[in-house]
Amino acid sequence: MRRLLIGLALIASLVAQGANAWMQNARRSPAWFTQGVMYQIQPRAFTPEGTLKAAKAKLPYLKDLGVTIAYLVPVMKMDADANHDFWSPRQIRSGFNNPKNQYRIADYFHVDEEYGTDQDLKDFCGEAHRLGLKVVFDLVYLHCGPTAPFLRDHPEFTWWNADGSVKKGPWRFPKLNFAVPELRTYLIGNIKYLVSEYGADGFRCDVGDGIPLDFWCDAHDAMDAQSKGETILLCEGFTVCNQYKGFDADYGWFPGLNAKSVRSAWIGRERECPRGSKFVNHYENHDIATDARPRREKAWGHMAVDQVLTWMFTIDGVPMLFTGNELADADERHSMFGKTPMDWSQLTREPGASRHVLVRSLAELRRSHPAFTAVNGRDGLIWLDTTAPDSVSAFARRGGGETVIVVQNWTGKEVSCSASFAAPKDSVPSYIVAEEVDRDVKGTISVEPLHARNARCTGAQSFSLGPWGCWISLIH
């Protein structure tokens, strides 16, 4: 009985933590981020040259595509140590025999010569800002390179073996010691330098939840004081309460090509987080494109990926494209560990040409309709029940004085169904009083879609959806 009571107490404690998080509000973030469209630039694949100068020349292309945030994978000096004992297993398996891993940094302040010079990065950011784009850098603070010069000056920044060798952490890299106050001061100084000297508008934090959250809270305070609250931190990871103060958003991992999981995964995460929490939604990034074989474009098929992109641009949060997603790139030579330039001729042939048109139209749809960006969290996103829950997901977005419905068929078969405008009732822990808020959707579906693919509205709330079909329209 005693064990049972202890177990029930632990469960109650976990439920209470989730409920308490949900009852609080996430930090507010600048509109350029919450309303943005992000594009992750992998320089080794983005251009044949693989340099910042070449990437800078492509910024007008990104602007025309509808991108508003250029996110660079790390371009700071990489550790060139050839000792395989300090190479990650992935790096060795890649076969490039290249000691320079973008996520094994030797110098956090200066650009690696592979990509150009410090001035080239300043010029890249300057051109992006001239075009109205924001720039997000990548911070790699969990670990560093084994021969990083700052370890000679500050050996206390990491751990050492008895024989004087550096102790290996995750991925066989030296792990930084955040118990040392001087390390925290050093890294926050680096963040402030990247903002002031290069023009960074924010940072994606590699393995962000592997680093003490109070460090990121202090870092954000320093950034806010410097930029008047206009810079952001994005966590690669997820910790229930990290958006109170430390982070502006977490990675939004795509749950898979299944109508039920698309919905249930979102609701489950939303119930754990502060109200208004934000997520950067994507289906591929530098890690996935390097490791997943076949690439997602091949494994899922172009029509399925089109559906995922539609979801990314209309669901709550910020959509993030990876290099070549807009061209349906599926090149399996791709690797973050060596130069594998993307074939830009895909832009002029199928399926790349059609994909490019789709991405531009989705970016324009998001930009033109405030319902997709005006409100974060459950007040702006209402999941709707359908008569085909195994195949079709549906949700409404509200904000900016409009309501939009998004209905998606996640199968390769034709499906007919209806969607209910009654918002499903939320389940809450028994000690919390359920909100008496009317969240039902009111109005009628416009007969003219904002965006439709292989789909028709056949009645008041009924739809005929072909394979991977979708329907998006206003509700008047």
Side-chain angles (χ1 to χ4, degrees):
M1 177 62 71
R2 183 170 177 271
R3 288 183 179 179
L4 175 61
L5 290 173
I6 291 173
L8 291 173
L10 287 172
I11 293 171
S13 173
L14 291 173
V15 170
Q17 289 179 32
N20 289 335
W22 174 80
M23 292 169 71
Q24 297 297 320
N25 291 325
R27 67 173 296 127
R28 297 190 65 174
S29 301
W32 68 257
F33 177 66
T34 59
Q35 298 175 12
V37 173
M38 187 178 292
Y39 188 103
Q40 185 185 24
I41 297 174
Q42 166 59 281
R44 286 173 168 171
F46 191 51
T47 66
E49 299 86 352
T51 63
L52 287 165
K53 280 187 177 179
K56 172 189 164 188
K58 285 287 188 183
L59 288 173
Y61 161 83
L62 294 183
K63 169 85 171 179
D64 179 72
L65 184 64
V67 170
T68 63
I69 306 168
Y71 154 36
L72 284 168
V73 303
V75 294
M76 297 320 204
K77 284 188 179 294
M78 297 172 274
D79 198 311
D81 183 30
N83 182 357
H84 282 211
D85 290 342
F86 288 95
W87 288 26
S88 71
R90 298 167 66 207
Q91 190 173 354
I92 295 171
R93 286 196 306 269
S94 72
F96 282 93
N97 200 32
N98 180 8
K100 288 193 170 185
N101 181 334
Q102 296 160 318
Y103 290 85
R104 194 178 76 151
I105 304 296
D107 184 338
Y108 290 115
F109 289 84
H110 300 289
V111 172
D112 194 276
E113 58 272 13
E114 177 181 330
Y115 306 118
T117 66
D118 291 358
Q119 188 60 50
D120 291 338
L121 181 55
K122 294 176 184 178
D123 291 344
F124 176 93
C125 293
E127 176 64 4
H129 292 156
R130 187 188 71 81
L131 292 169
L133 307 180
K134 300 293 185 178
V135 183
V136 168
F137 289 8
D138 213 328
L139 297 179
V140 190
Y141 286 169
L142 179 69
H143 45 238
C144 66
T147 64
F150 65 82
L151 291 183
R152 294 196 298 269
D153 300 328
H154 299 280
E156 72 278 12
F157 283 5
T158 189
W159 283 266
W160 301 86
N161 296 310
D163 62 2
S165 61
V166 176
K167 185 177 289 186
K168 298 174 187 174
W171 297 280
R172 303 166 80 178
F173 305 151
K175 185 179 178 181
L176 296 180
N177 184 1
F178 281 84
V180 176
E182 291 78 12
L183 172 67
R184 293 172 174 240
T185 300
Y186 179 85
L187 294 177
I188 289 176
N190 175 242
I191 289 172
K192 293 167 70 175
Y193 183 87
L194 298 175
V195 172
S196 62
E197 294 299 315
Y198 292 104
D201 297 295
F203 303 93
R204 176 264 191 189
C205 306
D206 188 61
V207 202
D209 54 3
I211 292 169
L213 181 57
D214 68 307
F215 168 79
W216 295 120
C217 293
D218 291 344
H220 219 313
D221 283 345
M223 290 166 52
D224 289 343
Q226 186 178 17
S227 69
K228 298 182 180 178
E230 284 298 307
T231 44
I232 63 99
L233 289 178
L234 162 63
C235 181
E236 185 210 14
F238 170 68
T239 304
V240 169
C241 296
N242 69 4
Q243 290 191 44
Y244 286 145
K245 182 177 179 182
F247 290 100
D248 294 87
D250 292 281
Y251 258 26
W253 306 101
F254 181 67
L257 301 173
N258 179 280
K260 283 189 173 180
S261 63
V262 161
R263 174 174 171 164
S264 62
W266 189 276
I267 292 174
R269 181 176 58 186
E270 183 182 66
R271 285 176 177 166
E272 293 181 312
C273 299
R275 295 172 70 99
S277 290
K278 300 166 289 293
F279 298 90
V280 169
N281 302 307
H282 63 288
Y283 67 90
E284 193 173 50
N285 59 24
H286 63 282
D287 285 319
I288 296 170
T290 294
D291 295 338
R293 294 294 179 271
R295 292 278 297 276
R296 295 240 162 122
E297 194 73 45
K298 288 184 178 179
W300 294 350
H302 303 309
M303 292 177 68
V305 174
D306 286 349
Q307 189 73 295
V308 176
L309 285 162
T310 303
W311 175 86
M312 281 168 44
F313 277 81
T314 57
I315 196 72
D316 195 6
V318 179
M320 185 181 85
L321 299 161
F322 177 69
T323 299
N325 285 168
E326 80 284 8
L327 303 181
D329 180 59
D331 190 346
E332 297 196 348
R333 296 178 309 119
H334 180 91
S335 174
M336 61 184 283
F337 300 110
K339 287 187 178 180
T340 51
M342 183 173 65
D343 179 6
W344 279 93
S345 71
Q346 294 175 107
L347 183 60
T348 62
R349 64 178 190 274
E350 295 299 339
S354 296
R355 172 65 57 73
H356 186 265
V357 170
L358 173 65
V359 170
R360 284 190 70 192
S361 66
L362 290 172
E364 173 60 26
L365 180 70
R366 177 179 167 85
R367 183 167 57 248
S368 302
H369 292 278
F372 294 121
T373 58
V375 182
N376 296 112
R378 64 192 295 273
D379 294 330
L381 171 64
I382 303 167
W383 290 96
L384 303 176
D385 292 332
T386 77
T387 54
D390 293 329
S391 305
V392 177
S393 67
F395 58 83
R397 297 296 310 276
R398 290 200 287 216
E402 64 179 13
T403 302
V404 177
I405 187 171
V406 179
V407 184
Q408 296 181 275
N409 177 9
W410 293 95
T411 74
K413 299 178 180 179
E414 186 167 345
V415 179
S416 295
C417 70
S418 297
S420 170
F421 276 12
K425 301 302 180 185
D426 289 329
S427 60
V428 296
S430 59
Y431 67 92
I432 297 178
V433 178
E435 289 185 78
E436 298 296 333
V437 177
D438 182 3
R439 301 182 68 240
D440 292 351
V441 176
K442 307 294 194 301
T444 58
I445 295 174
S446 172
V447 296
E448 292 296 328
L450 299 174
H451 175 86
R453 187 174 61 255
N454 204 15
R456 294 180 296 117
C457 182
T458 56
Q461 294 166 211
S462 300
F463 305 90
S464 176
L465 304 161
W468 304 104
C470 70
W471 175 275
I472 303 173
S473 66
L474 288 169
I475 296 178
H476 296 297

